[in-house]
Amino acid sequence: QRRPNSCCVQRYTCARLMAMNPGEEDGYTSVLEIDESLSLLERVKYYSQSAVAVQRLVHVQELGACAEEIGPAAALSELVPLLKDVSCDAELSVRQALAEQLVPLCAVLMKAPEESAEVEGEETSAHAVVVETCVPLLSAMLTAGGGQELAGGGSAQLIDAAAEALVAIAALLPADEVGTTVLTAVLTLAHDDESEENRVVATQLLGSLAPVVSAELCCQFVLPEVISLADDPVFRVRKVAALKLGGLTAAVGAELAQARLLSVYEALAADDIWGVRKACVESLPEIANALPVDVRAERLVPLLRSLYEDGSRWVRICACQALGPFLAALPSDAISPELLRLFTQLAAPANPARADAADSDIAYFCAFYLPGVAQAVGASRWPELAEAFRTLTTNMQWKVRRTLSCAMHELASILGSGLTESELVPTFDYFLKDLDEVKVGVVASIAPFLRALSPEARHKYLGAIVEMRAETDNWRFRHTLALQLADIGPLFPREAAVESLVPLALDLATDSVAEVRISPYLPISPHISPY
């Protein structure tokens, strides 16, 4: 996709300003006029120093594209000298744009890290600019916005942009080098006892850096710092620590996570502040996937039960949402009938957990994770899930039914042909007559669903496939069906395919919509070629 240049962006900005302030068109047009005869590099260099904030913003947003266009050498000599002044811009939005653009700029510089040029009177390399200029600029933005006091609602966006950029740049550096550059700056924030905001940001960054730094640095610095921050007196710091424990658990490995982090997680799950407990629920599936199976069953199952019955409505809602992915991470032996009932009752309107969470889409989450839970417990325990499945298929919300509709072929592969024909086929037929928003799910996966049926049960759908073409005015359904003809054909005897599917393919090949006409062109040949 072609990226709009700064001229187009600025004209759009000008048009918006004029629409918001009718009668002042001439003023905005003259102020925002730019010289389109200039090259991209010339525009960026000139207008990033403009007295007009909008011009500075638009052209700072072009830094990354300009660097990609001119290459590492020119970026080093022409663009890097602009960074210091832009980082001190009076407009917070300009500094935020710089934070976002430093990532593509650094990516270009790191393509030729040994490239050198004179910057501000000193010879320096591209690598040195990334480490000694860009990282400190972002670190400064995290605390004081590049020398400007953070105030107003935009400061959070600047901090987030700087934090994301810092992590992205860390990924461009060798793992062992991240410790002496990015990690050092983050640890400084983590040890700031005077600013809780700095500790919150540091906790976020430590969690994000865990998979980026070397294993040795992660265990030596990141792990103990996060453990310390998890005991911070400020609940916002503890909340972020709870959210980041999942990624850290995966980074340090199962053995160390069990020895050092599990007890920290359990303490946070019993925190007095409901927001901290809710954060623990949100990170539970990720933590479960990183720990040994026996630990999941012995330590995490009781923990989830307590959170499921938490005194906070929001924690209970989050626990309901996390129950499906958590069960999917357990072996069948560890999922007791009682635990499975906690999940299946999420589908029922009378479920107490849903009574105070009608607006939380609990049924949707139940439908979304039903295939994963079915996979975990196996086909032999389908009777324990069947009632929930039937309840969800008649849910009043079409998005719940569509979620199941899109998963019918996955359930069929789990249950096998026998249970599929007795338990799923009636629902499959029902969904074929449902709203288009629901029907699209079964149409898009009709080939893999039919593959799970016996030849006898499959044969009755041959006529239904042909009828789909005539029953809908929605060209996307015809296109979806056409794309599957090559997979559907081999599922039927050759004579039946030639009699029914070839005429369908030829009909679709003359469809009024070009996308439909093109899609079935190749699948026709296997059905008409001789043995």
Side-chain angles (χ1 to χ4, degrees):
Q1 185 177 357
R2 187 177 179 183
R3 189 177 187 274
N5 61 32
S6 56
C7 302
C8 299
V9 174
Q10 189 150 316
R11 282 195 291 268
Y12 171 72
T13 305
C14 181
R16 288 190 62 190
L17 288 171
M18 289 190 293
M20 294 166 59
N21 301 275
E24 302 181 16
E25 291 87 349
D26 293 341
Y28 281 122
T29 303
S30 60
V31 169
L32 296 180
E33 263 186 358
I34 62 174
D35 187 351
E36 298 189 22
S37 66
L38 298 176
S39 68
L40 176 58
L41 174 60
E42 291 169 335
R43 290 200 305 271
V44 168
K45 291 178 66 176
Y46 182 77
Y47 290 106
S48 63
Q49 308 296 322
S50 169
V52 181
V54 172
Q55 287 186 335
R56 298 198 306 275
L57 173 61
V58 168
H59 289 87
V60 168
Q61 290 173 334
E62 293 283 349
L63 276 172
C66 185
E68 292 172 2
E69 180 177 294
I70 64 179
L76 182 61
S77 60
E78 302 289 344
L79 297 182
V80 170
L82 305 175
L83 300 182
K84 184 176 180 181
D85 288 342
V86 175
S87 70
C88 297
D89 196 282
E91 293 294 327
L92 186 146
S93 59
V94 175
R95 303 200 302 276
Q96 179 180 338
L98 174 62
E100 294 166 350
Q101 292 300 308
L102 281 178
V103 177
L105 173 61
C106 289
V108 170
L109 293 175
M110 290 303 291
K111 290 179 181 178
E114 302 303 322
E115 186 73 47
S116 63
E118 187 174 300
V119 178
E120 296 181 349
E122 295 184 6
E123 192 75 13
T124 187
S125 68
H127 176 270
V129 165
V130 173
V131 172
E132 299 171 10
T133 300
C134 297
V135 170
L137 283 180
L138 290 170
S139 300
M141 290 181 191
L142 291 174
T143 55
Q148 304 290 332
E149 288 299 321
L150 291 180
S155 61
Q157 285 83 354
L158 174 59
I159 292 173
D160 287 346
E164 290 179 13
L166 202 57
V167 173
I169 290 176
L172 299 174
L173 300 171
D176 57 346
E177 194 173 24
V178 175
T180 57
T181 55
V182 179
L183 188 55
T184 300
V186 175
L187 292 177
T188 301
L189 297 177
H191 295 162
D192 188 348
D193 295 333
E194 301 299 321
S195 172
E196 67 178 67
E197 186 62 43
N198 283 352
R199 298 199 302 278
V200 169
V201 172
T203 309
Q204 292 174 329
L205 285 169
L206 286 168
S208 300
L209 288 172
V212 176
V213 300
S214 65
E216 182 181 359
L217 286 176
C218 185
C219 297
Q220 187 175 354
F221 293 103
V222 177
L223 178 62
E225 285 296 333
V226 172
I227 291 175
S228 175
L229 290 164
D231 194 35
D232 195 277
V234 177
F235 85 89
R236 292 175 59 234
V237 179
R238 302 196 303 275
K239 178 181 176 181
V240 176
L243 286 171
K244 293 297 183 179
L245 278 183
L248 182 57
T249 300
V252 301
E255 183 178 351
L256 197 55
Q258 183 178 349
R260 301 285 304 277
L261 289 177
L262 187 54
S263 59
V264 174
Y265 178 74
E266 290 172 330
L268 289 170
D271 197 277
D272 292 337
I273 304 298
W274 69 264
V276 179
R277 301 196 302 275
K278 178 175 177 290
C280 286
V281 178
E282 292 174 14
S283 61
L284 178 60
E286 194 173 10
I287 288 175
N289 282 319
L291 290 173
V293 171
D294 58 329
V295 176
R296 301 176 201 174
E298 295 172 8
R299 304 279 290 273
L300 297 185
V301 169
L303 193 64
L304 178 63
R305 288 178 183 275
S306 66
L307 292 168
Y308 191 86
E309 299 170 354
D310 194 271
S312 166
R313 170 180 184 260
W314 301 110
V315 176
R316 294 198 303 274
I317 291 172
C318 194
C320 290
Q321 296 172 349
L323 186 57
F326 176 70
L327 292 183
L330 296 175
S332 182
D333 297 343
I335 305 176
S336 65
E338 181 186 1
L339 187 60
L340 193 55
R341 276 196 297 274
L342 293 181
F343 175 75
T344 57
Q345 71 179 6
L346 300 180
N351 169 41
R354 287 194 64 205
D356 64 356
D359 60 344
S360 64
D361 296 326
I362 295 300
Y364 170 79
F365 282 95
C366 184
F368 186 85
Y369 290 111
L370 183 66
V373 174
Q375 178 74 50
V377 299
S380 62
R381 297 184 67 180
W382 175 253
E384 298 176 69
L385 295 171
E387 185 58 37
F389 171 75
R390 287 189 285 269
T391 300
L392 291 168
T393 60
T394 58
N395 190 283
M396 293 297 293
Q397 299 182 79
W398 62 261
K399 69 176 183 179
V400 174
R401 303 197 304 278
R402 181 170 70 175
T403 300
L404 281 182
S405 174
C406 294
M408 291 296 287
H409 65 294
E410 296 175 355
L411 288 171
S413 67
I414 294 168
L415 300 185
S417 61
L419 281 174
T420 295
E421 291 169 20
S422 61
E423 296 286 330
L424 301 186
V425 163
T427 299
F428 188 86
D429 295 342
Y430 170 70
F431 284 156
L432 281 174
K433 298 178 175 62
D434 209 322
L435 301 173
D436 277 2
E437 292 84 355
V438 178
K439 181 179 179 181
V440 66
V442 288
V443 172
S445 58
I446 191 168
F449 183 84
L450 294 181
R451 195 176 295 116
L453 302 180
S454 65
E456 296 77 16
R458 188 186 303 149
H459 188 74
K460 75 170 189 175
Y461 283 100
L462 193 57
I465 293 171
V466 176
E467 291 172 6
M468 286 180 193
R469 166 67 181 87
E471 289 178 351
T472 182
D473 294 326
N474 190 329
W475 71 268
R476 289 182 174 83
F477 278 92
R478 302 196 301 275
H479 181 242
T480 300
L481 180 62
L483 290 174
Q484 297 183 81
L485 285 182
D487 295 323
I488 292 173
L491 300 177
F492 296 95
R494 184 176 183 279
E495 294 77 8
V498 169
E499 181 180 346
S500 300
L501 296 182
V502 169
L504 173 61
L506 292 171
D507 186 32
L508 291 169
T510 59
D511 195 274
S512 58
V513 178
E515 288 291 323
V516 180
R517 293 197 301 271
I518 295 171
S519 55
Y521 200 83
L522 290 177
I524 298 177
S525 57
H527 307 313
I528 60 177
S529 60
Y531 285 104

